[in-house]
Coordinates of all heavy atoms in Angstrom, one line a residue:
D1494 N 0.8 -1.2 0.0 CA 0.0 0.0 0.0 C 0.9 1.2 0.0 O 2.0 1.2 0.6 CB -0.9 0.0 1.2 CG -1.9 -1.1 1.2 OD1 -2.3 -1.6 0.2 OD2 -2.4 -1.4 2.3
V1495 N 0.4 2.3 -0.6 CA 1.1 3.6 -0.6 C 0.1 4.7 -0.4 O -1.0 4.7 -0.9 CB 1.8 3.8 -1.9 CG1 0.9 3.9 -3.1 CG2 2.7 5.0 -1.9
L1496 N 0.5 5.7 0.4 CA -0.3 6.9 0.7 C 0.4 8.0 0.0 O 1.6 8.3 0.2 CB -0.4 7.2 2.2 CG -0.9 8.5 2.6 CD1 -2.4 8.7 2.2 CD2 -0.7 8.7 4.1
V1497 N -0.2 8.6 -1.0 CA 0.3 9.8 -1.7 C -0.3 11.0 -1.1 O -1.6 11.1 -1.0 CB 0.0 9.8 -3.2 CG1 0.6 11.0 -3.9 CG2 0.6 8.5 -3.8
L1498 N 0.5 11.9 -0.5 CA 0.0 13.0 0.3 C 0.6 14.3 -0.1 O 1.8 14.4 -0.4 CB 0.5 12.7 1.8 CG 0.1 13.7 2.8 CD1 -1.4 13.7 3.1 CD2 0.8 13.3 4.1
D1499 N -0.3 15.3 -0.2 CA 0.2 16.7 -0.4 C 0.4 17.3 0.9 O -0.3 17.0 1.9 CB -0.9 17.5 -1.2 CG -0.4 18.8 -1.8 OD1 0.6 19.3 -1.3 OD2 -1.0 19.2 -2.8
L1500 N 1.4 18.2 1.0 CA 1.6 18.9 2.3 C 0.6 20.0 2.6 O 0.4 20.4 3.7 CB 3.0 19.5 2.3 CG 4.2 18.5 2.2 CD1 5.5 19.3 2.2 CD2 4.1 17.5 3.3
R1501 N -0.1 20.4 1.6 CA -1.1 21.5 1.8 C -2.5 20.8 1.5 O -2.9 20.7 0.3 CB -0.9 22.7 0.9 CG -1.9 23.8 1.1 CD -1.6 25.0 0.3 NE -0.3 25.6 0.8 CZ 0.5 26.3 0.0 NH1 0.3 26.4 -1.3 NH2 1.6 26.8 0.5
L1502 N -3.2 20.5 2.5 CA -4.6 20.0 2.4 C -5.6 21.0 2.8 O -5.3 21.9 3.7 CB -4.7 18.7 3.3 CG -3.8 17.6 2.9 CD1 -3.8 16.5 3.9 CD2 -4.1 17.0 1.5
P1503 N -6.8 21.0 2.3 CA -7.8 22.0 2.7 C -8.2 22.1 4.2 O -8.4 23.1 4.7 CB -9.0 21.7 1.8 CG -8.7 20.4 1.1 CD -7.3 20.0 1.4
D1504 N -8.2 20.9 4.8 CA -8.7 20.9 6.2 C -7.6 20.6 7.2 O -7.9 20.7 8.4 CB -9.8 19.8 6.3 CG -11.0 20.1 5.5 OD1 -11.3 21.3 5.3 OD2 -11.7 19.2 5.0
W1505 N -6.5 20.2 6.8 CA -5.4 19.8 7.7 C -4.1 19.9 7.1 O -3.9 19.5 5.9 CB -5.7 18.3 8.1 CG -4.8 17.8 9.2 CD1 -3.5 17.6 9.2 CD2 -5.3 17.4 10.5 NE1 -3.1 17.1 10.4 CE2 -4.2 17.0 11.2 CE3 -6.5 17.4 11.1 CZ2 -4.3 16.5 12.5 CZ3 -6.6 16.9 12.4 CH2 -5.5 16.5 13.1
P1506 N -3.1 20.5 7.7 CA -1.8 20.6 7.1 C -1.2 19.1 6.9 O -1.1 18.4 7.9 CB -0.9 21.3 8.1 CG -1.9 22.0 9.0 CD -3.1 21.2 9.0
G1507 N -0.9 18.8 5.7 CA -0.4 17.5 5.4 C 0.9 17.1 6.2 O 1.1 16.0 6.6
I1508 N 1.7 18.1 6.5 CA 2.9 17.8 7.3 C 2.6 17.4 8.7 O 3.3 16.6 9.3 CB 3.9 19.0 7.2 CG1 5.3 18.6 7.6 CG2 3.4 20.2 8.1 CD1 6.4 19.5 7.2
D1509 N 1.5 17.8 9.2 CA 1.1 17.4 10.6 C 0.5 16.0 10.5 O 0.5 15.2 11.5 CB 0.0 18.3 11.1 CG 0.6 19.7 11.4 OD1 1.8 19.8 11.5 OD2 -0.3 20.6 11.6
L1510 N 0.0 15.5 9.4 CA -0.5 14.2 9.2 C 0.5 13.1 9.1 O 0.3 12.0 9.4 CB -1.4 14.2 8.0 CG -2.2 12.9 7.7 CD1 -3.1 12.6 8.8 CD2 -3.0 13.1 6.4
L1511 N 1.7 13.5 8.6 CA 2.8 12.5 8.4 C 3.1 11.6 9.6 O 3.0 10.4 9.4 CB 4.1 13.2 7.9 CG 4.1 13.7 6.5 CD1 5.3 14.6 6.3 CD2 4.0 12.6 5.5
P1512 N 3.4 12.1 10.8 CA 3.7 11.2 11.9 C 2.5 10.4 12.3 O 2.6 9.2 12.7 CB 4.1 12.1 13.0 CG 3.7 13.5 12.6 CD 3.6 13.5 11.1
K1513 N 1.3 11.0 12.2 CA 0.1 10.2 12.5 C -0.2 9.1 11.6 O -0.5 8.0 12.0 CB -1.1 11.2 12.5 CG -1.1 12.2 13.6 CD -2.2 13.2 13.4 CE -2.3 14.4 14.4 NZ -1.2 14.7 15.3
A1514 N 0.1 9.3 10.3 CA -0.1 8.3 9.3 C 0.9 7.2 9.5 O 0.6 6.0 9.4 CB 0.0 8.9 7.9
K1515 N 2.2 7.5 9.7 CA 3.2 6.5 9.9 C 2.9 5.7 11.2 O 3.1 4.5 11.2 CB 4.6 7.2 10.1 CG 5.7 6.4 9.9 CD 5.7 5.8 8.5 CE 7.0 5.4 8.0 NZ 7.0 4.7 6.7
E1516 N 2.4 6.3 12.2 CA 2.0 5.5 13.4 C 0.8 4.6 13.1 O 0.8 3.5 13.6 CB 1.7 6.5 14.5 CG 1.4 5.8 15.8 CD 1.1 6.8 17.0 OE1 1.6 7.9 17.0 OE2 0.3 6.4 17.9
A1517 N -0.2 5.1 12.4 CA -1.4 4.3 12.2 C -1.2 3.2 11.2 O -1.8 2.1 11.3 CB -2.5 5.3 11.6
W1518 N -0.3 3.4 10.2 CA -0.1 2.4 9.1 C 1.4 2.3 9.0 O 2.0 2.7 7.9 CB -0.7 2.9 7.8 CG -2.2 3.2 8.0 CD1 -3.2 2.3 8.3 CD2 -2.8 4.5 7.8 NE1 -4.4 3.0 8.3 CE2 -4.2 4.3 8.0 CE3 -2.3 5.7 7.4 CZ2 -5.1 5.4 7.9 CZ3 -3.2 6.8 7.3 CH2 -4.5 6.6 7.6
P1519 N 2.1 1.6 9.9 CA 3.6 1.6 9.8 C 4.2 0.9 8.6 O 5.3 1.1 8.2 CB 4.0 0.9 11.1 CG 2.8 0.2 11.6 CD 1.6 1.0 11.0
K1520 N 3.4 0.0 8.0 CA 3.9 -0.8 6.8 C 3.6 -0.1 5.5 O 4.0 -0.5 4.5 CB 3.4 -2.2 6.8 CG 3.9 -3.0 8.0 CD 3.4 -4.4 7.9 CE 4.0 -5.2 9.1 NZ 3.5 -6.6 9.1
T1521 N 2.7 0.9 5.6 CA 2.3 1.7 4.4 C 3.4 2.6 3.9 O 4.0 3.3 4.8 CB 1.0 2.4 4.6 OG1 0.0 1.5 4.9 CG2 0.6 3.2 3.4
K1522 N 3.8 2.6 2.7 CA 4.7 3.6 2.1 C 4.0 4.9 2.0 O 2.9 5.0 1.6 CB 5.2 3.1 0.7 CG 5.7 1.7 0.6 CD 7.2 1.7 1.1 CE 7.7 0.3 0.8 NZ 9.0 0.1 1.3
I1523 N 4.8 6.0 2.4 CA 4.2 7.3 2.3 C 5.1 8.1 1.4 O 6.3 8.2 1.5 CB 4.2 8.0 3.7 CG1 3.4 7.2 4.7 CG2 3.7 9.4 3.6 CD1 3.3 7.7 6.1
F1524 N 4.4 8.7 0.4 CA 5.0 9.4 -0.7 C 4.4 10.8 -0.7 O 3.2 11.0 -0.8 CB 4.8 8.8 -2.1 CG 5.7 9.4 -3.1 CD1 6.9 8.9 -3.4 CD2 5.2 10.4 -3.9 CE1 7.7 9.4 -4.4 CE2 6.0 11.0 -4.8 CZ 7.3 10.5 -5.1
V1525 N 5.2 11.8 -0.6 CA 4.7 13.2 -0.6 C 4.9 13.8 -2.0 O 6.0 13.7 -2.6 CB 5.5 14.1 0.4 CG1 5.2 15.6 0.2 CG2 5.2 13.7 1.8
Y1526 N 3.8 14.3 -2.5 CA 3.7 14.9 -3.8 C 3.1 16.3 -3.6 O 1.9 16.4 -3.3 CB 2.9 14.1 -4.8 CG 2.8 14.6 -6.2 CD1 4.0 14.8 -6.9 CD2 1.6 14.8 -6.8 CE1 3.9 15.2 -8.3 CE2 1.5 15.3 -8.1 CZ 2.7 15.4 -8.8 OH 2.6 15.9 -10.1
T1527 N 3.9 17.3 -3.6 CA 3.4 18.6 -3.2 C 3.7 19.8 -4.2 O 4.7 19.7 -4.9 CB 3.9 19.0 -1.8 OG1 3.3 20.2 -1.4 CG2 5.4 19.2 -1.8
G1528 N 2.9 20.7 -4.2 CA 3.1 21.9 -5.0 C 3.7 23.0 -4.2 O 4.0 24.1 -4.7
M1529 N 3.9 22.8 -2.9 CA 4.5 23.8 -2.1 C 6.0 24.1 -2.4 O 6.8 23.2 -2.3 CB 4.4 23.4 -0.6 CG 3.0 23.4 -0.1 SD 2.9 22.9 1.7 CE 4.0 24.0 2.5
E1530 N 6.3 25.2 -2.9 CA 7.7 25.6 -3.2 C 8.5 25.8 -1.9 O 9.7 25.6 -1.9 CB 7.7 26.8 -4.1 CG 7.2 26.5 -5.5 CD 8.0 25.4 -6.2 OE1 9.2 25.3 -6.1 OE2 7.3 24.6 -6.9
E1531 N 7.8 26.2 -0.9 CA 8.5 26.4 0.4 C 8.8 25.1 1.1 O 9.3 25.1 2.2 CB 7.8 27.4 1.3 CG 6.4 26.9 1.7 CD 5.3 27.3 0.7 OE1 5.6 27.7 -0.4 OE2 4.1 27.3 1.2
A1532 N 8.5 24.0 0.4 CA 8.7 22.6 1.0 C 10.2 22.4 1.3 O 10.5 21.5 2.1 CB 8.1 21.5 0.2
D1533 N 11.1 23.1 0.6 CA 12.5 22.9 0.8 C 12.9 23.0 2.3 O 13.7 22.2 2.8 CB 13.3 23.9 -0.1 CG 13.3 23.5 -1.5 OD1 13.1 22.3 -1.8 OD2 13.4 24.4 -2.3
H1534 N 12.4 24.0 2.9 CA 12.9 24.2 4.3 C 12.2 23.2 5.3 O 12.7 23.0 6.4 CB 12.6 25.7 4.8 CG 11.2 25.9 5.1 ND1 10.2 26.3 4.1 CD2 10.5 25.9 6.3 CE1 9.1 26.4 4.7 NE2 9.2 26.2 6.0
E1535 N 11.2 22.6 4.8 CA 10.6 21.5 5.6 C 11.0 20.1 5.3 O 10.6 19.2 5.9 CB 9.0 21.6 5.5 CG 8.4 22.9 6.0 CD 7.0 23.0 5.6 OE1 6.5 22.3 4.7 OE2 6.3 23.7 6.4
F1536 N 11.9 20.0 4.3 CA 12.3 18.7 3.8 C 12.8 17.8 4.9 O 12.5 16.6 4.9 CB 13.4 18.9 2.7 CG 13.8 17.6 2.1 CD1 13.0 16.9 1.3 CD2 15.1 17.1 2.4 CE1 13.4 15.7 0.7 CE2 15.5 15.9 1.8 CZ 14.6 15.2 1.0
F1537 N 13.6 18.3 5.8 CA 14.2 17.4 6.8 C 13.1 16.8 7.8 O 13.2 15.7 8.2 CB 15.3 18.0 7.6 CG 16.5 18.3 6.7 CD1 16.9 19.5 6.2 CD2 17.3 17.2 6.3 CE1 17.9 19.7 5.4 CE2 18.4 17.4 5.5 CZ 18.7 18.6 5.0
D1538 N 12.1 17.6 8.0 CA 11.0 17.1 8.8 C 10.2 16.0 8.0 O 9.8 15.0 8.6 CB 10.0 18.2 9.2 CG 10.6 19.1 10.3 OD1 11.4 18.6 11.1 OD2 10.2 20.2 10.4
V1539 N 10.0 16.3 6.8 CA 9.3 15.4 5.9 C 10.0 14.1 5.7 O 9.3 13.0 5.8 CB 9.0 16.1 4.5 CG1 8.5 15.1 3.5 CG2 8.1 17.3 4.7
I1540 N 11.3 14.1 5.5 CA 12.0 12.9 5.1 C 12.0 11.8 6.2 O 12.0 10.7 6.0 CB 13.4 13.2 4.7 CG1 14.0 12.0 3.9 CG2 14.3 13.5 5.8 CD1 14.6 12.4 2.6
R1541 N 11.8 12.3 7.5 CA 11.8 11.3 8.6 C 10.6 10.4 8.5 O 10.7 9.2 9.0 CB 11.7 12.0 9.9 CG 12.9 12.8 10.3 CD 12.8 13.3 11.7 NE 11.7 14.2 11.8 CZ 11.2 14.6 12.9 NH1 11.6 14.1 14.1 NH2 10.2 15.5 12.9
Y1542 N 9.5 10.8 7.9 CA 8.3 10.1 7.9 C 7.9 9.5 6.5 O 6.9 8.8 6.4 CB 7.1 10.9 8.4 CG 7.3 11.4 9.8 CD1 7.7 12.7 10.0 CD2 7.2 10.6 10.8 CE1 7.9 13.2 11.3 CE2 7.4 11.0 12.1 CZ 7.7 12.3 12.4 OH 7.9 12.8 13.6
T1543 N 8.7 9.8 5.5 CA 8.3 9.5 4.1 C 9.2 8.5 3.5 O 10.4 8.4 3.8 CB 8.1 10.7 3.2 OG1 9.3 11.3 3.0 CG2 7.1 11.7 3.8
D1544 N 8.7 7.8 2.5 CA 9.6 6.9 1.7 C 9.9 7.6 0.3 O 10.7 7.0 -0.4 CB 8.8 5.6 1.4 CG 8.5 5.0 2.8 OD1 9.4 4.4 3.4 OD2 7.3 5.0 3.2
G1545 N 9.3 8.7 0.0 CA 9.6 9.4 -1.2 C 9.0 10.8 -1.2 O 8.1 11.1 -0.4
F1546 N 9.6 11.7 -2.0 CA 9.2 13.1 -2.1 C 9.4 13.6 -3.5 O 10.4 13.4 -4.1 CB 10.1 13.9 -1.1 CG 9.8 15.3 -1.0 CD1 8.9 15.8 0.0 CD2 10.4 16.2 -1.8 CE1 8.6 17.1 0.1 CE2 10.1 17.6 -1.7 CZ 9.2 18.0 -0.8
L1547 N 8.4 14.3 -4.0 CA 8.5 14.9 -5.3 C 7.6 16.2 -5.3 O 6.5 16.2 -4.8 CB 7.9 14.0 -6.3 CG 8.2 14.3 -7.8 CD1 9.7 14.3 -8.2 CD2 7.4 13.3 -8.7
K1548 N 8.1 17.2 -6.0 CA 7.4 18.5 -6.1 C 6.5 18.4 -7.4 O 6.9 17.8 -8.4 CB 8.3 19.7 -6.2 CG 8.9 20.0 -4.9 CD 9.7 21.3 -5.1 CE 10.3 21.7 -3.8 NZ 11.1 23.0 -3.9
K1549 N 5.3 19.0 -7.3 CA 4.5 18.9 -8.5 C 5.0 19.7 -9.7 O 4.6 19.5 -10.8 CB 3.1 19.5 -8.1 CG 2.3 18.6 -7.2 CD 0.9 19.2 -6.9 CE 0.2 18.3 -6.0 NZ -1.1 18.9 -5.6
S1550 N 6.0 20.5 -9.5 CA 6.7 21.2 -10.6 C 7.5 20.3 -11.4 O 7.9 20.6 -12.6 CB 7.5 22.4 -10.1 OG 8.5 21.9 -9.2
D1551 N 7.9 19.1 -10.9 CA 8.6 18.0 -11.7 C 7.6 17.4 -12.6 O 6.4 17.4 -12.4 CB 9.1 17.0 -10.7 CG 10.3 17.5 -9.9 OD1 11.0 18.4 -10.4 OD2 10.4 17.1 -8.8
H1552 N 8.1 16.8 -13.7 CA 7.2 16.2 -14.7 C 6.4 15.0 -14.1 O 6.9 14.3 -13.2 CB 8.0 15.7 -15.9 CG 7.2 15.3 -17.0 ND1 6.7 14.1 -17.2 CD2 6.9 16.1 -18.1 CE1 6.0 14.1 -18.3 NE2 6.1 15.3 -18.9
I1553 N 5.1 14.9 -14.5 CA 4.2 13.9 -13.9 C 4.8 12.5 -14.1 O 4.5 11.6 -13.2 CB 2.8 14.0 -14.5 CG1 1.8 13.2 -13.8 CG2 2.8 13.7 -16.0 CD1 1.5 13.6 -12.4
S1554 N 5.6 12.2 -15.1 CA 6.1 10.9 -15.3 C 7.1 10.5 -14.1 O 7.2 9.3 -13.8 CB 6.9 10.8 -16.6 OG 8.0 11.6 -16.6
H1555 N 7.6 11.5 -13.4 CA 8.5 11.2 -12.3 C 7.7 10.7 -11.1 O 8.2 9.9 -10.3 CB 9.3 12.5 -11.9 CG 10.3 12.9 -12.9 ND1 10.5 14.2 -13.1 CD2 11.0 12.2 -13.7 CE1 11.4 14.4 -14.0 NE2 11.8 13.2 -14.4
L1556 N 6.4 11.1 -11.0 CA 5.6 10.6 -9.9 C 5.4 9.1 -10.1 O 5.6 8.3 -9.1 CB 4.2 11.3 -9.9 CG 3.2 10.8 -8.9 CD1 3.7 10.9 -7.5 CD2 1.9 11.5 -9.1
T1557 N 5.0 8.6 -11.2 CA 4.8 7.2 -11.5 C 6.1 6.4 -11.2 O 6.0 5.4 -10.5 CB 4.3 7.0 -12.9 OG1 3.1 7.7 -13.1 CG2 3.9 5.5 -13.2
S1558 N 7.1 6.8 -11.8 CA 8.4 6.1 -11.7 C 8.9 6.1 -10.3 O 9.4 5.1 -9.8 CB 9.5 6.6 -12.7 OG 9.8 7.9 -12.4
S1559 N 8.7 7.2 -9.5 CA 9.1 7.2 -8.1 C 8.4 6.3 -7.3 O 8.9 5.6 -6.4 CB 9.0 8.7 -7.6 OG 9.9 9.5 -8.3
I1560 N 7.1 6.2 -7.5 CA 6.2 5.3 -6.7 C 6.6 3.8 -7.0 O 6.7 3.0 -6.2 CB 4.7 5.6 -6.9 CG1 4.4 6.9 -6.2 CG2 3.9 4.4 -6.3 CD1 3.0 7.4 -6.5
Q1561 N 6.8 3.5 -8.3 CA 7.2 2.2 -8.7 C 8.5 1.8 -8.0 O 8.7 0.6 -7.6 CB 7.3 2.1 -10.2 CG 6.0 2.1 -10.9 CD 6.1 2.2 -12.4 OE1 7.2 2.6 -13.0 NE2 5.1 1.8 -13.1
K1562 N 9.4 2.7 -7.9 CA 10.7 2.4 -7.3 C 10.6 2.0 -5.8 O 11.4 1.3 -5.2 CB 11.7 3.6 -7.4 CG 12.2 3.8 -8.7 CD 13.1 5.0 -8.8 CE 13.5 5.3 -10.3 NZ 14.3 6.5 -10.4
L1563 N 9.5 2.5 -5.1 CA 9.3 2.2 -3.7 C 9.1 0.7 -3.6 O 9.3 0.1 -2.5 CB 8.0 2.9 -3.2 CG 8.1 4.4 -3.0 CD1 6.8 4.9 -2.6 CD2 9.2 4.8 -2.1
F1564 N 8.5 0.0 -4.6 CA 8.2 -1.4 -4.5 C 9.1 -2.3 -5.3 O 8.9 -3.5 -5.4 CB 6.7 -1.6 -5.0 CG 5.8 -0.9 -4.1 CD1 5.3 0.4 -4.4 CD2 5.4 -1.4 -2.9 CE1 4.4 1.1 -3.6 CE2 4.5 -0.7 -2.0 CZ 4.0 0.5 -2.4
A1565 N 10.1 -1.7 -5.9 CA 11.1 -2.5 -6.7 C 12.0 -3.3 -5.7 O 12.3 -2.8 -4.6 CB 12.0 -1.6 -7.5
P1566 N 12.4 -4.5 -6.1 CA 13.3 -5.3 -5.3 C 14.6 -4.6 -5.2 O 15.0 -3.9 -6.1 CB 13.4 -6.6 -6.0 CG 12.9 -6.4 -7.4 CD 12.0 -5.2 -7.3
P1567 N 15.2 -4.7 -4.0 CA 16.6 -4.0 -3.9 C 17.6 -4.6 -4.8 O 17.5 -5.8 -5.2 CB 17.0 -4.3 -2.4 CG 16.1 -5.4 -2.0 CD 14.9 -5.4 -2.8
L1568 N 18.4 -3.8 -5.3 CA 19.5 -4.2 -6.2 C 20.5 -5.1 -5.4 O 20.8 -4.7 -4.3 CB 20.2 -3.0 -6.8 CG 19.4 -2.1 -7.7 CD1 20.2 -0.9 -8.2 CD2 18.9 -2.9 -8.9
S1569 N 20.9 -6.2 -6.0 CA 21.9 -7.0 -5.3 C 23.3 -6.4 -5.5 O 23.6 -5.8 -6.5 CB 21.9 -8.4 -5.9 OG 22.3 -8.4 -7.2
K1570 N 24.1 -6.5 -4.5 CA 25.5 -6.0 -4.5 C 26.4 -7.1 -5.0 O 26.5 -8.1 -4.4 CB 25.9 -5.4 -3.2 CG 25.1 -4.3 -2.7 CD 25.6 -3.8 -1.3 CE 24.7 -2.7 -0.8 NZ 25.1 -2.2 0.5
T1571 N 27.1 -6.8 -6.1 CA 28.0 -7.8 -6.6 C 29.4 -7.1 -6.6 O 29.5 -5.9 -6.8 CB 27.7 -8.2 -8.0 OG1 27.6 -7.1 -8.9 CG2 26.4 -9.0 -8.0
V1572 N 30.4 -7.9 -6.3 CA 31.7 -7.4 -6.2 C 32.5 -7.8 -7.4 O 32.4 -8.9 -7.9 CB 32.4 -7.8 -4.9 CG1 33.8 -7.3 -4.8 CG2 31.6 -7.4 -3.7

């Protein structure tokens, strides 16, 4: 499962929802997709609770590929 969350929600600040969502659904991947340009200064708070982060100013194809990467098997390390 994945929760795609914007940091700016009409009824509740999405950034306040992050720790609550992580606590309620610890196995759910949380991906932030936001249009907030000021999200840069909040990035370190956001990254503690999320598995991915993308600004809406990035191309929409990055959203799909970023979410797919959350579920990709880890690369094996070969020497």
Side-chain angles (χ1 to χ4, degrees):
D1494 293 336
V1495 63
L1496 169 65
V1497 179
L1498 179 67
D1499 195 336
L1500 295 180
R1501 183 177 291 148
L1502 299 171
D1504 297 330
W1505 190 291
I1508 198 159
D1509 293 342
L1510 184 60
L1511 287 171
K1513 294 173 182 12
K1515 198 59 156 177
E1516 183 178 329
W1518 307 295
K1520 294 182 180 181
T1521 298
K1522 305 279 187 188
I1523 299 177
F1524 192 90
V1525 170
Y1526 184 58
T1527 186
M1529 289 178 57
E1530 290 303 318
E1531 61 271 17
D1533 287 332
H1534 76 277
E1535 296 174 334
F1536 182 72
F1537 291 107
D1538 286 335
V1539 169
I1540 198 133
R1541 290 186 300 162
Y1542 300 106
T1543 64
D1544 300 288
F1546 181 90
L1547 190 68
K1548 287 186 178 180
K1549 289 181 181 176
S1550 59
D1551 291 326
H1552 194 272
I1553 190 70
S1554 65
H1555 293 145
L1556 176 62
T1557 304
S1558 63
S1559 296
I1560 291 173
Q1561 288 173 339
K1562 286 178 188 175
L1563 293 177
F1564 298 98
L1568 297 175
S1569 62
K1570 295 181 181 180
T1571 56
V1572 180

